Amino acid sequence: KGVEGITSLFYDFYVSASEAVLQAVTDKDTSAVITVKDGKPVIEIQGTVTVLSRSRNSLEEIEAVNKELDEIVGLDEVKNYIRSLQAHIAMNEKRKQQGLKTASVSMHMIFTGNPGTGKTTIARLLSRYMKAIGALSVGQLVEVTRADLVAQYVGQTAPLTMSVIKSAMGGVLFIDEAYSLYRGKDDSFGLEAIDTLVKAMEDNRDNLIVILAGYKKEMASFLEANSGLKSRFPNVVNFPDYTGEELVRIADIQAKSKGYVIDEEAKDKLKV
């Protein structure tokens, strides 16, 4: 597969090494040694040896993603949308294998909702799923804001935006508070970033997914900034605020992960 195959292998190597470091490193002075044993790259940290290649096949990764999706508290409508998208992609893949006509599916999305409602978490799961089914070559999630795309001087915004887009190729580009890219018709830098993004989406439609996230009202206004935005983001997913009961469930899960138990009386007070 040439460079795509090498990029995919490197990403698997990088993810495996990162996971090993996160699990084993206790302080900044801990050393990690990368070497080759029995023909396989491995990383050794404090006596623990980890093979630097993800062993999951595509089916196992899809199952793992769906399991994590099930474990997320609330967001039933969002989960239903992700599953319907999975079913549609799977159907298209089967039709393609049988030589039947397939309809092109736009993967670009808009996530609307308040901060802390799970938008980034869902985007990360989506990127892993798309990698597992082969819709994306790498499957990384690149999360950015206006500051990462818009420069302060004339002539620098387009190159800056393109460098970010290149880093997201083969994966998902997640632009948080995307509405801040457009601050009115006099914001020439923001409009330049939007124009560059729209063109890149068109040129790389088969290997890049762009997700715009932000408040519902502000995102509706943002779509008017460029005539091509609305047509390129047909999928709008709303993330509702958590209910009191759902927030208690989240607090309970977080407490248990750290070895604590929340008293029932405290749970009642948390709902208020």
Side-chain angles (χ1 to χ4, degrees):
K1 293 184 179 180
V3 68
E4 289 185 4
I6 295 171
T7 301
S8 180
L9 284 171
F10 174 78
Y11 183 69
D12 286 350
F13 183 101
Y14 173 77
V15 169
S16 300
S18 299
E19 289 176 349
V21 170
L22 287 171
Q23 291 173 10
V25 171
T26 55
D27 59 68
K28 63 180 182 180
D29 295 323
T30 302
S31 62
V33 179
I34 296 176
T35 183
V36 176
K37 288 186 178 181
D38 300 324
K40 295 180 180 180
V42 298
I43 184 169
E44 184 173 349
I45 307 172
Q46 296 178 334
T48 301
V49 177
T50 304
V51 177
L52 290 177
S53 61
R54 291 189 289 181
S55 58
R56 284 178 178 163
N57 58 35
S58 297
L59 183 59
E60 288 172 334
E61 179 67 354
I62 291 170
E63 290 176 350
V65 169
N66 283 324
K67 183 180 178 182
E68 289 184 39
L69 194 64
D70 289 335
E71 292 173 351
I72 292 175
V73 175
L75 301 181
D76 291 337
E77 290 185 12
V78 176
K79 292 177 185 176
N80 290 336
Y81 170 77
I82 297 299
R83 291 194 178 96
S84 68
L85 182 64
Q86 290 177 351
H88 189 72
I89 293 170
M91 178 190 71
N92 261 356
E93 188 60 32
K94 286 185 178 180
R95 289 181 62 85
K96 189 188 297 181
Q97 291 172 358
Q98 295 174 16
L100 301 173
K101 291 182 178 179
T102 59
S104 60
V105 182
S106 176
M107 300 296 179
H108 305 303
M109 305 174 195
I110 292 177
F111 287 179
T112 62
N114 292 321
T117 50
K119 296 187 290 294
T120 306
T121 299
I122 293 297
R124 186 171 290 110
L125 289 176
L126 188 65
S127 66
R128 286 173 52 197
Y129 176 79
M130 292 301 177
K131 156 71 174 175
I133 65 171
L136 292 173
S137 60
V138 183
Q140 79 278 27
L141 178 73
V142 177
E143 185 178 358
V144 297
T145 62
R146 177 188 168 98
D148 302 299
L149 301 170
V150 180
Q152 297 179 347
Y153 302 101
V154 176
Q156 293 184 344
T157 292
L160 180 61
T161 302
M162 276 307 304
S163 69
V164 171
I165 292 170
K166 286 179 181 178
S167 73
M169 288 302 301
V172 174
L173 177 61
F174 183 87
I175 306 177
D176 200 13
E177 298 181 348
Y179 52 82
S180 66
L181 284 176
Y182 179 64
R183 294 176 174 172
K185 61 182 180 180
D186 295 328
D187 181 16
S188 59
F189 290 176
L191 289 172
E192 185 180 3
I194 294 171
D195 292 342
T196 304
L197 178 65
V198 169
K199 185 179 185 305
M201 288 168 58
E202 186 65 27
D203 294 343
N204 304 283
R205 62 175 67 183
D206 295 328
N207 201 27
L208 175 68
I209 295 176
V210 178
I211 298 177
L212 307 181
Y215 295 107
K216 189 173 184 179
K217 183 179 177 181
E218 283 80 352
M219 289 305 298
S221 300
F222 169 72
L223 291 178
E224 305 297 330
N226 180 292
S227 57
L229 277 176
K230 261 187 181 179
S231 61
R232 286 172 173 78
F233 291 93
N235 309 302
V236 180
V237 186
N238 184 51
F239 286 67
D241 292 339
Y242 290 109
T243 65
E245 290 185 356
E246 288 171 344
L247 287 171
V248 171
R249 285 171 58 193
I250 292 171
D252 200 31
I253 291 170
Q254 291 180 341
K256 286 180 179 177
S257 70
K258 294 176 173 59
Y260 294 92
V261 176
I262 300 177
D263 187 86
E264 288 301 321
E265 185 177 345
K267 289 182 182 179
D268 292 334
K269 293 182 179 179
L270 282 172
K271 294 178 184 178
V272 179

